[in-house]
């Protein structure tokens, strides 16, 4: 509409009306919280700024994670604090971004989790890079990967490799 193209604006609204964030789709549209996943790891969840402030997914990811068999979900202290990535923010404000990441890493490590999960690949890349540089052994795994893991089809092992069960 700002560009003066009403037809394009209407088409964009039609697509937006059929577009969902993963946890929103599973919980609200399909009415599912137990997807049959199995993930035998200690996991903490980072609610991303985008999911909190723009998409407003609320506790949907946590509701899904609580139903994953074998998963030990541990609360992340100061969970709603930004990890410091924010697209170009991390480049334009590198020192601030690094300080924010250090806070997030300290909180992740305080949980004793094997895995930090989120629904945003850029946050996972930022947090995962920090964890890797510190050689913590803690991995980042996208929420969708955890929800897709099953005992019969294989689960992601401690090494990050897929372990297939015969």
């Amino acid at each position: 509409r700002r560009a003066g193209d009403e037809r394009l604006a209407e088409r964009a609204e039609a697509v937006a009306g059929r577009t969902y964030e993963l946890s929103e789709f599973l919980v609200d549209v399909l009415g599912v919280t137990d997807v049959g996943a199995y993930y035998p790891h200690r996991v903490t969840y980072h609610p991303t700024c985008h999911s909190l402030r723009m998409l407003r997914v609320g506790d949907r990811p946590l509701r899904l994670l609580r139903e994953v068999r074998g998963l030990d979900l541990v609360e992340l202290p100061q969970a709603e604090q930004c990890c410091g990535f924010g697209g170009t923010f991390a480049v334009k404000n590198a020192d601030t971004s690094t300080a924010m990441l250090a806070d997030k890493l300290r909180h992740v490590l305080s949980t004793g989790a094997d895995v930090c999960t989120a629904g945003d690949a850029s946050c996972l890349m930022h947090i995962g890079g920090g964890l890797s540089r510190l050689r913590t052994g803690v991995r980042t795994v996208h929420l969708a990967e955890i929800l897709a893991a099953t005992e019969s089809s294989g689960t992601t092992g401690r090494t990050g490799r897929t372990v297939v069960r015969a």
Side-chain angles (χ1 to χ4, degrees), residues 35-69:
V35 297
Y38 173 76
Y39 196 79
H41 300 284
R42 186 173 173 92
V43 176
T44 194
Y45 170 71
H46 166 65
T48 67
C49 293
H50 188 70
S51 70
L52 288 170
R53 294 167 185 84
M54 298 298 292
L55 300 177
R56 302 193 193 295
V57 300
D59 71 342
R60 291 175 190 96
L62 290 170
R63 289 167 59 192
L64 291 160
L65 288 168
R66 286 184 192 116
E67 298 297 327
V68 175
R69 289 181 303 107

Side-chain angles (χ1 to χ4, degrees), residues 109-130:
L109 294 172
S110 77
T111 68
D114 303 315
V115 172
C116 177
T117 191
D120 186 311
S122 60
C123 292
L124 290 173
M125 178 184 65
H126 191 55
I127 295 168

